[in-house]
Amino acid sequence: MAKNKKPNPKSLARKPRGFPDKREDVLKAELDMIHRVSSVYRLWGFEGIETGAFEYADALGKFLPDQDRPNAGVFAIQDDDEQWMSLRYDLTAPLARFAAEHWDTLPKPFRRYAYGPVWRNEKPGPGRFREFMQCDADTVGAKGPAADAEMIAMMAEALKAAGAQRFNVRVNTRDLMSGLLDSIDARDEETRLIILRALDKLDRLGLSGVADLLGEGREDESGDYTKGAGLDAERVKRVLAFAESGKSSRGETLEALAAVVSGNEAYDRGIAELREIDGLLSAMGAPDGVVVFDPTIVRGLEYYTGPVFEGELLDEILDEKGRAVRIGSVGGGGRYDGLVSRFRNEEIPATGFSLGISRLAAAMSLTGELNALSGPVVVLVLDREHVADSHVLAHQLRAAGIRSEVYMGSSGMRPQMKYADRRGAPAVVIVGEDERQKGTVTIKDLIVGAQKAKAIKDNTEWRESRPGQVEVSRDEMVATIKGMLEADN
RNA sequence: GCCGCCUUAGCUCAGUAGGUUAGAGCGCUAGAUUGUGGAUCUAGAGGUCCCCUGUUCGAACCAGGGAGGCGGUACCA
């Protein structure tokens, strides 16, 4: 069976997974979101900073490439001088580097926003990419809950500005968790981690799943076994009571939390901190019920040192096949007092958050919340020798601020109409011999045309009626199309 | 990383206890309509049946390996 050795050219056109191709709908949605979200940040007094895609690996921190797996988690390459550089995996680490480098000359506290792509080398899924856009805001050099509350309130505003309809921002704080762990006498670091990770999974696994993880362990449906924390029944009960303290209002949650543990210093400090944040949130206009307290919010364990929070969409999201998909959080943040200090011999507190633009756009794309594509007005070309004429018309439309183009292909009228249809063009402009003689143009409103055509059954009527079509003098073209666009929208 | 399922036309999927020319619907192209998209009718184009190796007279179908996709789980700055 002799085969030619030429590889199938089609098999070369492959896209690495997790690196999304974005077409106009998603692309525009993301750009608009970035614009609206960063406008919120600017409104609150934050200034923009952009840093490069690569950082030296040791500046990014924890993920030092080791010899065996230099690309675990991050994408890393070696520079000419053999130093490891990594593509940034978030916008916070570069900020920490920037702030530390310029600390002496910056206004303090330093308030900045940033947006751009970040990269993570991990398994992609729905709403989960290896290259994605984030839009962050952080304050470096401010301690105390006001800076944290500001971040939380601003995140809620930013999510709303980004177009999220139903969402909440759930807030927790580290002291509360370590107080809880102390109160059940979980001293061992590994046990503490297991308990926190178990709490984090409440929304996914439910109470009984979390109970299994707190006790002996849990076997999932694929038969994989996860070792539990090994707590006794009494302690499991206590942790579950803590997990269930999240109520729909902040005040109720604080009350419920206060009843779970008593006489623990860190725990009381956590409650006091949340109480203060509650007051500040109200002062900043963050609505109760949208911004809530939730003791099961965990976030990065080695990273955050105080309040933590995350934003989540509340709508059930279905994929193209109607299956429920778990998109997860669309943003989050918290206080990270150790991150900038790492570069300096002084304490530099910091707090901030990140909004997952790509994930939000992906979620909205699945729920059909993205605006439908709308193409340019297409000016048809019926006789090649009069192309310039079409360009004159397109030029007039553009001068009036109407998005428009001349058909650039070489096909006849019918394919040109099809082209306009596929582009989502609101209208086409037709100038042929007839119109040229009379000094007119024919304008077809494709949206109205489509609506009217639905009523037509008969074939000849189909052919002869020209739904949504008008012939006007050239002078009236711009005004007529403007009128159509206003009526359409 | 681990576990499970899947891979046939651009898309969604049929298919044969291994047997000549591999099918449907949608989409695409063209005509019916000499200057009209979306309806209708007709015709047409489009496939290394994921890849490699093996078993066989013969493999899209069977076996082994690999790749890719999907889901779960672990980790997640």
Side-chain angles (χ1 to χ4, degrees):
Chain A
M1 194 199 283
K3 276 193 173 169
N4 58 3
K5 289 281 158 50
K6 262 194 287 179
N8 185 352
K10 230 187 246 176
S11 68
L12 296 175
R14 296 187 307 137
K15 183 184 71 63
R17 63 179 168 171
F19 289 88
D21 294 333
K22 299 167 193 169
R23 296 193 58 175
E24 173 80 355
D25 54 347
V26 175
L27 186 58
K28 183 153 190 308
E30 287 194 358
L31 290 174
D32 285 351
M33 264 184 221
I34 287 168
H35 182 253
R36 289 196 298 265
V37 167
S38 47
S39 295
V40 169
Y41 299 165
R42 293 194 78 252
L43 186 65
W44 286 63
F46 289 74
E47 72 171 67
I49 297 284
E50 183 168 290
T51 62
F54 276 102
E55 294 283 344
Y56 283 117
D58 50 7
L60 286 180
K62 174 177 160 193
F63 286 93
L64 295 179
D66 60 56
Q67 292 304 335
D68 303 332
R69 298 176 62 203
N71 284 321
V74 301
F75 294 97
I77 59 168
Q78 272 181 300
D79 203 357
D80 287 348
D81 56 9
E82 302 201 334
Q83 296 196 75
W84 280 100
M85 300 194 303
S86 298
L87 281 174
R88 62 185 182 204
Y89 51 77
D90 67 13
L91 297 173
T92 313
L95 165 69
R97 189 231 65 206
F98 176 90
E101 221 175 333
H102 301 284
W103 191 239
D104 296 330
T105 59
L106 290 174
K108 287 168 273 289
F110 178 57
R111 296 154 69 77
R112 76 89 245 221
Y113 74 86
Y115 59 84
V118 304
W119 296 266
R120 297 183 189 182
N121 193 2
E122 48 190 38
K123 183 183 152 186
R128 201 177 172 86
F129 309 103
R130 293 202 285 177
E131 175 179 69
F132 56 100
M133 301 296 284
Q134 290 193 328
C135 195
D136 283 35
D138 297 83
T139 297
V140 183
K143 58 183 174 189
D148 299 305
E150 181 184 55
M151 289 301 164
I152 296 162
M154 195 165 76
M155 178 163 176
E157 276 192 19
L159 275 169
K160 199 172 169 194
Q165 307 281 333
R166 296 186 60 244
F167 65 92
N168 63 17
V169 178
R170 301 185 294 178
V171 183
N172 191 13
T173 185
R174 279 280 175 273
D175 277 341
L176 207 57
M177 327 231 29
S178 53
L180 171 79
L181 295 172
D182 293 347
S183 82
I184 57 166
D185 219 33
R187 303 288 165 198
D188 173 48
E189 193 55 36
E190 198 189 323
T191 307
R192 292 171 78 99
L193 282 176
I194 292 174
I195 296 170
L196 292 178
R197 284 178 195 142
L199 277 177
D200 194 27
K201 288 168 189 151
L202 180 68
D203 56 342
R204 193 152 47 89
L205 304 181
L207 270 186
S208 71
V210 173
D212 290 345
L213 285 172
L214 291 170
E216 285 309 304
R218 175 178 178 273
E219 187 178 315
D220 70 47
E221 55 216 71
S222 77
D224 217 17
Y225 188 76
T226 310
K227 188 169 167 278
L231 299 184
D232 59 41
E234 187 55 39
R235 293 190 168 91
V236 169
K237 218 174 126 192
R238 174 83 68 86
V239 176
L240 291 181
F242 175 80
E244 282 187 289
S245 311
K247 309 294 178 196
S248 56
S249 84
R250 302 197 286 257
E252 284 175 278
T253 305
L254 287 173
E255 271 176 42
L257 282 171
V260 175
V261 173
S262 56
N264 180 281
E265 202 193 321
Y267 196 86
D268 292 343
R269 207 164 51 232
I271 289 189
E273 188 173 36
L274 289 183
R275 187 163 285 133
E276 198 174 346
I277 286 176
D278 177 32
L280 289 160
L281 285 173
S282 300
M284 294 172 189
D288 202 345
V290 172
V291 179
V292 297
F293 293 143
D294 181 342
T296 67
I297 295 300
V298 177
R299 312 250 352 135
L301 291 167
E302 326 216 347
Y303 191 76
Y304 292 114
T305 56
V308 290
F309 51 95
E310 68 186 34
E312 189 163 17
L313 299 179
L314 299 176
D315 294 300
E316 190 182 51
I317 295 174
L318 304 177
D319 66 11
E320 301 83 353
K321 293 179 180 170
R323 292 175 306 207
V325 289
R326 186 172 293 278
I327 287 282
S329 84
V330 290
R335 173 160 290 279
Y336 51 98
D337 285 346
L339 206 63
V340 185
S341 312
R342 203 164 65 82
F343 298 101
R344 316 257 317 174
N345 287 321
E346 57 187 311
E347 292 289 302
I348 302 180
T351 183
F353 71 99
S354 169
L355 215 93
I357 298 289
S358 297
R359 185 174 286 188
L360 196 50
M364 289 172 68
S365 169
L366 288 173
T367 56
E369 284 173 84
L370 295 190
N371 292 328
L373 274 185
S374 92
V377 170
V378 176
V379 182
L380 306 192
V381 178
L382 298 195
D383 326 281
R384 309 282 349 156
E385 63 270 29
H386 291 109
V387 217
D389 207 28
S390 298
H391 286 282
V392 168
L393 297 172
H395 175 63
Q396 286 169 5
L397 289 168
R398 280 183 221 121
I402 298 167
R403 196 172 166 229
S404 54
E405 69 176 35
V406 175
Y407 174 74
M408 283 288 159
S410 54
S411 302
M413 182 165 184
R414 189 182 154 94
Q416 292 190 41
M417 291 297 296
K418 270 192 131 155
Y419 170 81
D421 188 43
R422 280 224 199 137
R423 289 295 310 277
V428 295
V429 176
I430 304 164
V431 224
E433 201 43 47
D434 296 352
E435 286 86 353
R436 230 184 324 278
Q437 298 280 327
K438 291 189 266 178
T440 61
V441 294
T442 296
I443 298 167
K444 180 158 189 170
D445 184 326
L446 294 187
I447 296 163
V448 167
Q451 282 164 358
K452 290 198 174 160
K454 277 182 193 157
I456 299 176
K457 299 253 158 58
D458 177 63
N459 209 358
T460 30
E461 187 188 354
W462 178 265
R463 227 178 332 163
E464 285 165 9
S465 85
R466 292 277 148 85
Q469 198 163 312
V470 290
E471 186 174 349
V472 299
S473 77
R474 288 189 166 224
D475 299 344
E476 296 169 299
M477 176 185 72
V478 167
T480 306
I481 290 182
K482 265 196 174 154
M484 282 178 181
L485 295 179
E486 276 159 28
D488 287 342
N489 101 65

